[in-house]
Every structure is written in structure tokens, then in C-alpha cells.
Amino acid sequence: MNDYFTLNNGVKIPSIGFGTWQTPDGETAENVVSFALKNGYSHVDGAAVYENENGVGRGIKASGVPRNQLFITSKVWNTERGYESTKKAFKKSLADLGLEYLDLYLIHWPANLKQFPIADEINLETWRAMTELYKEGKIKAIGVSNFQPHHLKPLMKTEIKPMVNQIEYHPGCLQEETVRYCKENDIVVEAWSPLGSGRVLSDEKLIGIAEHYSKSVAQLCVRFALQNGIVPLPKSVTEERILENRDVMDFEITKEDMAEIIKMGEFGGSGLQPDEIDF
Ligand code: A2P
């Protein structure tokens, strides 16, 4: 198990990221990001819509870790899709974070046909802005989030192909078709809610499997994503959990247990479907 994956443009992405969705802005964001970066994480996953990029940026500075040793992600929100507004949104995130460049910038959700008759066109215009920012060196890698194969296909025909797709992924939510498509097309998959936002942690079966390794279910979930070649982004505002979620390199889930988890079927998911959402 490496401590990084390599994207299709050669950029290395640390294999576990620190999630910041639902982390309150201000002191909390600042303190937890700084704590995580001082304690072995080097990768922070954020987004404009999390409304905490000021605090996250201050945490990055407060950690004292040199910028070139960090991997920082943000995402363009749904209201900012399109060429001009994506560029503006990017600038704002950069300013809020207090950074000169981003390591990864993602389209947060695909435009869908339920809301936009020209959804693919909107995604392509957003992608055109991201591609330019990438070529200007302001972003080291670009990608998407919550895209299924049919959203990805038009982007695959453009000059620069997505390097990452960040999707909901945890035991009980495996999105097998999307993961397969990404692997076949050299797109690294990242897992949002790798712990099912906490919903899968009380599952009896997972508790039983985690016990085989004297690990917590949270650690089992993080390790499960990694062993499937996926970058987990566990979120916590609790110091001991932040440390726990990173301590997963000293055990290996057996093939049999991996298969048991895969067999569990659907549970604990958010229920959010990219073609159905209306936000
Ligand atoms: P908290 O932030 O209060 O510590 P996900 O990363 O799947 O979105 O899950 C995040 C949720 O899981 C948060 O509610 C977080 O709580 C909780 N959580 C994170 N790590 C752990 C852990 N190691 N044990 C138990 N709960 C955890």
C-alpha cells in the first residue's frame, strides 16, 4: 500500500485526505486542519459550498507545513457553473484559502437534464475554464465529483481528461459501474463520506469484521477504500478520531473479508442521485 496514488498527469495524490464537509468555519476549521496537517495528513479536501475556506486556509498556514508538501482541493459549486463564473469561483476559493495555486479543483456536481436542457454543454463550458486554469499552472490537476459514466463521456473527448472523480463511496455504497468506468479510463476515484457520514459505523456485521483486526469500523472503512484503490476523505472535528482515521497502514483486510463487505448490498447511503438533485 503506497501512501500516494499517481494521477494520469503524473501528479501524486496522498492516499488519505482530510475531509472538511460540515466542519464549522472559524476556529474549528482552523484548529482541526492545523491539527491534521501536524499529525500526518498532507491532503485536505474542501469546497466553496462548505463555507469554511477561510478557516481551512488559516489552518493550513497555522500548521507550518511548507505549501509544496501539501495537497489542497476545492470545488466549483453548482451556481457557478459555466466558463466565466467558474473562473471567478476559482479566484474566490484561492483568495479565501489564502493560496497561490490549488492541487486539485473539481466540478462539484454535474449539471443534470432535470434542471438544464443543455446539461452536457454546461459541463463542457465549466470544463473549458478548468482546462485553461490547469494549463496556466494555477491548478496541478482537475477533475469532477458525483459524475457517472454518462456525465463523464463528453469530457473524455476534450483535450484534457479528468484526473479524478470524487463520489460517495463506503461499505453499502459502492457505485460499481462508475468505479469500473473510472479505473478503465485512468481516473482516480476519491470517496466522499467514506464512513457513510457515520451511518455505517454501528453496523453489526462491520463491527464483527473490524474486530478481526482489533480496529474500529471507521478504520475498516478507510482501509476498505484504500484496498479498492480509492482515496478516502474521512471528516472529523475530533482529535482522537482524526488520528484514528489515519492509522490504517498496519493491517490488511483479507480477500475474504473484502468480499464479505462487497456482498453486503446497499445501506447507509445519502440517497443523493446526480440526475435527480435539484440544488
Ligand atoms: P465528528 O466530526 O464529530 O468527529 P464521513 O467522513 O463519512 O463524512 O463521516 C464523518 C462523520 O463520522 C462525522 O459525524 C464524524 O464525527 C464521524 N467520525 C469521523 N471519524 C470517526 C471515528 N473514527 N469514529 C466515529 N465517528 C467518526
Side-chain angles (χ1 to χ4, degrees):
M1 180 69 59
N2 275 337
D3 52 9
Y4 62 82
F5 292 100
T6 304
L7 304 178
N8 65 29
N9 65 344
V11 166
K12 289 185 167 57
I13 180 169
S15 61
I16 301 177
F18 182 61
T20 61
W21 178 44
Q22 295 181 324
T23 297
D25 198 12
E27 258 181 47
T28 303
E30 178 173 344
N31 291 342
V32 296
V33 167
S34 170
F35 179 81
L37 295 179
K38 284 177 182 157
N39 286 282
Y41 291 81
S42 55
H43 171 180
V44 179
D45 181 76
V49 76
Y50 302 166
E51 294 185 335
N52 56 12
E53 291 197 311
N54 274 307
V56 168
R58 283 202 300 277
I60 291 168
K61 294 253 146 48
S63 75
V65 179
R67 175 69 183 94
N68 63 6
Q69 291 174 23
L70 297 175
F71 190 99
I72 311 294
T73 301
S74 183
K75 312 183 189 85
V76 54
W77 184 239
N78 302 354
T79 48
E80 314 305 319
R81 294 185 186 108
Y83 179 78
E84 290 296 342
S85 36
T86 294
K87 287 206 163 177
K88 235 164 104 188
F90 171 74
K91 257 194 179 161
K92 179 164 184 342
S93 279
L94 214 54
D96 286 350
L97 288 161
L99 298 176
E100 304 285 318
Y101 68 91
L102 284 182
D103 297 278
L104 179 64
Y105 198 47
L106 307 175
I107 303 180
H108 209 140
W109 289 88
N112 67 33
L113 284 169
K114 195 169 171 178
Q115 296 187 73
F116 307 98
I118 52 162
D120 279 352
E121 224 172 279
I122 294 172
N123 292 332
L124 283 167
E125 278 299 280
T126 310
W127 191 245
R128 188 161 69 86
M130 314 253 305
T131 299
E132 282 186 14
L133 292 164
Y134 170 69
K135 287 168 83 175
E136 288 163 15
K138 292 177 180 150
I139 316 171
K140 305 293 178 198
I142 50 177
V144 296
S145 182
N146 301 301
F147 275 48
Q148 295 172 331
H150 73 95
H151 306 112
L152 274 162
K153 276 176 191 158
L155 269 51
M156 297 306 289
K157 297 189 192 121
T158 67
E159 182 190 357
I160 308 285
K161 306 188 181 19
M163 290 132 205
V164 166
N165 186 15
Q166 182 180 130
I167 59 173
E168 180 176 4
Y169 183 90
H170 50 80
C173 179
L174 302 180
Q175 304 215 48
E176 283 170 332
E177 195 192 330
T178 299
V179 170
R180 193 176 323 112
Y181 181 87
C182 289
K183 288 191 174 170
E184 282 167 7
N185 287 282
D186 211 5
I187 297 170
V188 166
V189 176
E190 295 182 325
W192 63 259
S193 284
L195 320 176
S197 288
R199 287 181 300 269
V200 305
L201 300 180
S202 53
D203 181 87
E204 289 299 328
K205 179 147 196 146
L206 293 177
I207 292 172
I209 296 175
E211 274 170 5
H212 298 171
Y213 308 95
S214 305
K215 290 285 176 184
S216 69
V217 177
Q219 289 170 317
L220 182 78
C221 291
V222 171
R223 183 77 200 184
F224 174 74
L226 288 173
Q227 285 187 216
N228 281 320
I230 290 171
V231 179
L233 308 167
K235 171 265 178 190
S236 178
V237 293
T238 314
E239 290 190 353
E240 83 189 10
R241 292 174 173 175
I242 294 172
L243 300 178
E244 183 183 316
N245 296 343
R246 151 222 82 162
D247 283 338
V248 297
M249 295 306 184
D250 58 351
F251 77 111
E252 182 163 1
I253 307 171
T254 62
K255 268 197 188 135
E256 293 73 24
D257 283 341
M258 289 295 287
E260 280 296 306
I261 299 171
I262 288 165
K263 240 174 36 195
M264 286 174 75
E266 294 280 318
F267 68 99
S270 69
L272 295 173
Q273 296 295 336
D275 283 327
E276 299 297 327
I277 59 160
D278 57 4
F279 52 80

